[in-house]
């Protein structure tokens, strides 16, 4: 085989994978947004066939030979081609390492466990979900061994979501966060609480939709290339860098739920839309890791979206959209309300400061589950103990406790730490950005173009072309969690007058 011919085959393989992913995404989007309720069955059949085709394509003998050949011809490939081959070959080996029957069995389990979890959560019945979670842990430990037998199982799983990250690193990382954030939350508890009651007045959906349109405009999201829909749980879905969709959920008695979910998902969308054209329709055309993706969404949501300059910039418009509801409210009151700190039970409703404590609970539990030092039946007890220790709250039931997140039911063990890492990356990006551009001078005017351009240059454009660690280094320098905790300390000391 000639290199030129092999590269043509590579291109064809990539396009086929892209087409399968596009079909899968389109069905998912349809199923979660506009499809009538009784239509899931047919989509399920189509989705299973698409997944099977992808599996066949990725593990086929032809694919193996092609990737092996190109790997051996590395010096004749461009950097972009080399990275494509590297990533595909890695994925090929990973899928191949799992015996076919176990792979099928696991696919069936994840499919079923989602329903079981949903019902267990509704019934507040952990026992109902326990057998699924037990199987999930067994599978994940086994798969970790297939991925990388030289690593501790949980390290192999972590590496799958954020390459280069392991327990040794995360133990140190979370220790810093715990040491700095827990006393801060405690000190805030001794202070008079901020009034945020006006956020829960009646905010009609129609006005909220217009507000969401305005926010997308401020974020610089081109509506010709980024759509917005409605789903129970907000998400971002990318087809390519010219077609990204975000969703939100409008709650009439809550102004900030849709507002901050639009800004958060908008941050994910900015990332996908900013990836280079020449990487499209290849395995490099997408955000590089969960941690880096969350760094972008949480950057826009918290660091920009919950800053005083941003709130001051958009507040006059907010009063136009909601003249009666916000007639007696000032920009400063709004700024304080959206930053109110309150230890709570539910992660997705947590404030910026306590959010990472929710992640730490999940990290400790996953580490012990996969490490074999915690039995699944003891998860509720340990969960409740850790919530008391880190957040000082009593968990009244498992529905608002260890059954609240869908991740484990989908087999995502090792995913949670990316949320905390993303927050820490974001704070370091801010400090570097401030050295180069007048961030706050621009944000005060409601102008996010400088911020966007900086992130596009340092992070977005590369997609998966660079390794996650290199993207982080590029935008953050060496990771130092105290930059993040200093950012939080400064912000909340001023807000709650802690000195
Ligand atoms: Zn996110």
């Amino acid at each position: 085989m000639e290199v030129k011919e092999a590269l043509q085959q590579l291109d064809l393989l990539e396009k086929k994978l892209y087409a399968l992913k596009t079909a899968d995404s389109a069905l998912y989007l349809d199923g979660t947004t506009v499809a009538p309720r009784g239509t899931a069955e047919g989509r399920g059949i189509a989705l299973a066939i698409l997944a099977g085709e992808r599996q066949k394509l990725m593990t086929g003998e032809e694919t193996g030979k092609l990737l092996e050949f190109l790997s051996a011809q590395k010096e004749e490939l461009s950097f972009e081609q080399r990275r494509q081959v590297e990533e595909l070959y890695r994925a090929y080996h990973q899928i191949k390492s799992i015996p076919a029957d176990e792979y099928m069995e696991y696919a069936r389990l994840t499919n079923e466990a989602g329903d079981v979890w949903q019902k267990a959560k509704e019934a507040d019945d952990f026992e109902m979900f326990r057998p699924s979670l037990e199987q999930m842990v067994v599978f994940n430990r086994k798969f970790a061994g297939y991925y990388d037998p030289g690593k501790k199982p949980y390290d192999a799983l972590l590496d799958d979501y954020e390459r280069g990250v392991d327990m040794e690193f995360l133990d140190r990382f979370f220790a810093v966060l715990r040491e700095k954030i827990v006393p801060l939350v405690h000190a805030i508890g001794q202070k008079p609480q901020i009034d945020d009651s006006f956020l829960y007045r009646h905010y009609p959906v129609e006005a909220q939709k217009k507000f969401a349109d305005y926010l997308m405009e401020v974020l610089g999201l081109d509506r010709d290339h980024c759509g917005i829909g409605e789903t129970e749980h907000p998400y971002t879905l990318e087809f390519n860098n010219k077609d990204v969709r975000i969703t939100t959920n409008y709650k009439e008695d809550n102004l900030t739920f849709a507002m901050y979910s639009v800004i958060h998902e908008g941050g994910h969308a900015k990332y996908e839309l900013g990836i280079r054209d020449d990487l499209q329709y290849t395995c490099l055309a997408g955000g590089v890791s969960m941690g880096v993706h969350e760094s972008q969404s949480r950057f826009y949501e918290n660091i920009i979206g919950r800053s005083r300059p941003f709130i001051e910039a958009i507040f006059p418009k907010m009063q136009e959209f909601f003249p009666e509801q916000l007639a007696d409210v000032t920009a400063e009151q709004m700024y304080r309300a959206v930053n109110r700190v309150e230890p709570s039970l539910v992660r997705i409703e947590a404030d910026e400061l306590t959010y990472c404590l929710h992640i730490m609970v999940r990290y400790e539990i996953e580490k012990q589950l996969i490490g074999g030092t915690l039995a699944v039946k003891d998860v509720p007890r340990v969960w409740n103990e850790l919530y008391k220790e880190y957040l000082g709250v009593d968990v009244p039931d498992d529905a608002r406790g260890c059954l609240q997140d869908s991740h484990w039911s989908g087999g995502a063990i090792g995913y949670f730490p990316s949320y905390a890492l993303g927050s820490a990356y974001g704070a370091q990006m801010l400090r570097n950005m401030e050295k180069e551009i007048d961030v706050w001078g621009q944000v005060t005017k409601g102008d996010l173009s400088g911020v966007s351009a900086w992130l596009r240059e340092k992070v977005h454009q590369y997609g998966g072309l660079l390794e996650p660690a290199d993207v982080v280094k590029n935008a953050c320098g060496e990771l130092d969690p105290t930059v993040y905790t200093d950012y939080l300390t400064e912000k909340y000391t001023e807000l709650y007058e802690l000195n």
Side-chain angles (χ1 to χ4, degrees):
M1 191 163 21
E2 298 263 336
V3 171
K4 197 176 152 211
E5 192 194 331
L7 286 172
Q8 281 169 352
Q9 284 183 28
L10 178 72
D11 186 49
L12 190 63
L13 171 68
E14 290 274 41
K15 293 261 167 56
K16 279 187 188 165
L17 289 168
Y18 165 74
L20 289 171
K21 181 173 170 260
T22 298
D24 185 290
S25 300
L27 287 171
Y28 180 79
L29 183 71
D30 180 63
T32 52
T33 53
V34 297
R37 251 212 313 220
T39 60
E41 195 183 334
R43 260 193 320 282
I45 292 169
L47 283 168
I49 289 176
L50 288 170
E53 287 301 310
R54 185 182 184 278
Q55 160 86 347
K56 251 194 274 173
L57 197 57
M58 274 309 291
T59 56
E61 202 181 322
E62 237 176 277
T63 300
K65 275 190 190 148
L66 174 68
L67 295 173
E68 192 185 345
F69 173 78
L70 284 170
S71 296
Q73 312 291 323
K74 266 185 190 156
E75 61 288 352
E76 292 191 47
L77 308 182
S78 68
F79 178 61
E80 285 79 4
Q81 290 161 342
R82 212 159 59 220
R83 283 287 299 137
Q84 243 177 290
V85 172
E86 262 173 35
E87 289 300 320
L88 283 174
Y89 214 17
R90 194 196 305 263
Y92 169 82
H93 282 303
Q94 190 163 6
I95 299 183
K96 280 291 244 194
S97 72
I98 302 171
D101 56 333
E102 285 181 31
Y103 190 87
M104 294 293 287
E105 179 63 17
Y106 186 64
R108 196 193 51 74
L109 172 67
T110 45
N111 203 10
E112 201 182 85
D115 279 345
V116 177
W117 165 75
Q118 192 95 43
K119 290 192 183 112
K121 185 182 173 186
E122 274 159 28
D124 179 28
D125 184 356
F126 181 75
E127 267 308 298
M128 199 192 276
F129 182 53
R130 185 180 51 80
S132 301
L133 185 55
E134 278 168 352
Q135 278 181 282
M136 214 49 103
V137 169
V138 170
F139 268 114
N140 270 277
R141 289 182 69 171
K142 228 193 288 184
F143 288 1
Y146 296 146
Y147 295 162
D148 195 338
K151 276 198 176 107
K152 287 182 181 152
Y154 191 47
D155 280 342
L157 297 178
L158 289 168
D159 195 72
D160 198 32
Y161 293 104
E162 196 71 8
R163 204 174 298 147
V165 164
D166 59 16
M167 286 185 276
E168 197 193 328
F169 171 81
L170 286 176
D171 283 344
R172 270 184 286 129
F173 174 78
F174 282 122
V176 173
L177 263 52
R178 184 165 46 218
E179 187 196 324
K180 303 284 182 185
I181 296 175
V182 172
L184 212 49
V185 173
H186 187 77
I188 288 170
Q190 312 298 312
K191 289 285 181 173
Q193 189 49 288
I194 291 169
D195 174 26
D196 67 348
S197 56
F198 55 85
L199 299 179
Y200 306 99
R201 289 172 178 168
H202 183 72
Y203 292 92
V205 169
E206 279 316 305
Q208 286 202 50
K209 282 186 179 171
K210 289 194 186 117
F211 181 38
D213 287 340
Y214 164 72
L215 287 171
M216 286 179 76
E217 195 185 308
V218 174
L219 287 171
L221 288 166
D222 179 352
R223 294 299 285 272
D224 283 343
H225 298 287
C226 184
I228 181 166
E230 287 176 60
T231 50
E232 172 70 25
H233 300 287
Y235 65 77
T236 300
L237 190 144
E238 70 283 357
F239 289 99
N240 54 65
N241 71 347
K242 304 281 189 292
D243 186 358
V244 178
R245 317 297 175 90
I246 65 171
T247 69
T248 187
N249 186 349
Y250 302 101
K251 299 175 192 282
E252 294 225 300
D253 57 353
N254 187 331
L255 172 63
T256 47
F257 186 89
M259 171 180 173
Y260 282 106
S261 79
V262 167
I263 301 177
H264 179 99
E265 302 307 331
H268 284 303
K270 294 281 291 183
Y271 189 1
E272 292 293 334
L273 292 163
I275 294 171
R276 277 164 35 181
D277 284 341
D278 66 322
L279 303 177
Q280 295 306 308
Y281 320 120
T282 76
C283 62
L284 306 177
V288 71
S289 69
M290 293 321 305
V292 176
H293 237 304
E294 281 302 314
S295 78
Q296 298 309 290
S297 53
R298 303 183 70 74
F299 188 90
Y300 280 99
E301 178 191 350
N302 291 322
I303 293 181
I304 300 295
R306 287 191 163 88
S307 70
R308 189 179 271 124
F310 182 78
I311 295 295
E312 281 172 357
I314 68 165
F315 191 70
K317 271 282 184 188
M318 290 178 83
Q319 280 188 314
E320 276 180 38
F321 292 118
F322 310 107
E324 284 154 33
Q325 296 89 333
L326 299 178
D328 59 345
V329 178
T330 65
E332 181 63 16
Q333 284 172 313
M334 181 60 75
Y335 168 66
R336 293 171 61 78
V338 299
N339 285 294
R340 176 185 160 116
V341 171
E342 191 156 38
S344 62
L345 296 167
V346 179
R347 177 184 60 88
I348 60 163
E349 292 164 10
D351 55 78
E352 182 184 13
L353 183 64
T354 58
Y355 187 86
C356 283
L357 303 178
H358 292 259
I359 299 303
M360 278 164 48
V361 170
R362 289 148 178 81
Y363 170 67
E364 286 301 326
I365 288 177
E366 287 187 344
K367 194 169 84 170
Q368 293 182 40
L369 275 178
I370 301 297
T373 54
L374 175 67
V376 169
K377 70 173 170 50
D378 296 324
V379 167
R381 178 180 57 78
V382 174
W383 180 285
N384 298 354
E385 284 168 7
L386 289 172
Y387 261 79
K388 187 75 187 170
E389 187 187 334
Y390 296 164
L391 286 136
V393 295
D394 293 301
V395 180
D397 50 53
D398 293 335
R400 282 173 285 178
C402 63
L403 286 174
Q404 66 181 268
D405 301 303
S406 65
H407 300 58
W408 292 340
S409 76
I413 300 179
Y415 183 116
F416 282 117
S418 345
Y419 293 114
L421 286 168
S423 302
Y425 296 161
Q428 284 190 251
M429 287 178 199
L430 172 68
R431 294 305 174 225
N432 285 341
M433 199 185 284
E434 284 171 336
K435 287 176 202 152
E436 292 174 30
I437 60 172
D438 178 16
V439 178
W440 301 115
Q442 294 178 12
V443 173
T444 302
K445 294 185 206 132
D447 175 9
L448 301 190
S449 60
V451 169
S452 297
W454 194 93
L455 291 172
R456 190 177 186 135
E457 190 205 319
K458 306 276 182 187
V459 181
H460 301 173
Q461 60 156 326
Y462 297 111
L465 185 61
L466 305 179
E467 291 274 353
D470 292 330
V471 176
V472 172
K473 204 170 212 168
N474 214 12
C476 308
E478 284 308 321
L479 191 64
D480 172 4
T482 63
V483 176
Y484 176 50
T485 53
D486 284 350
Y487 154 82
L488 291 171
T489 304
E490 201 180 303
K491 177 171 178 178
Y492 290 95
T493 298
E494 194 262 353
L495 252 163
Y496 278 91
E497 298 171 14
L498 298 178
N499 280 337

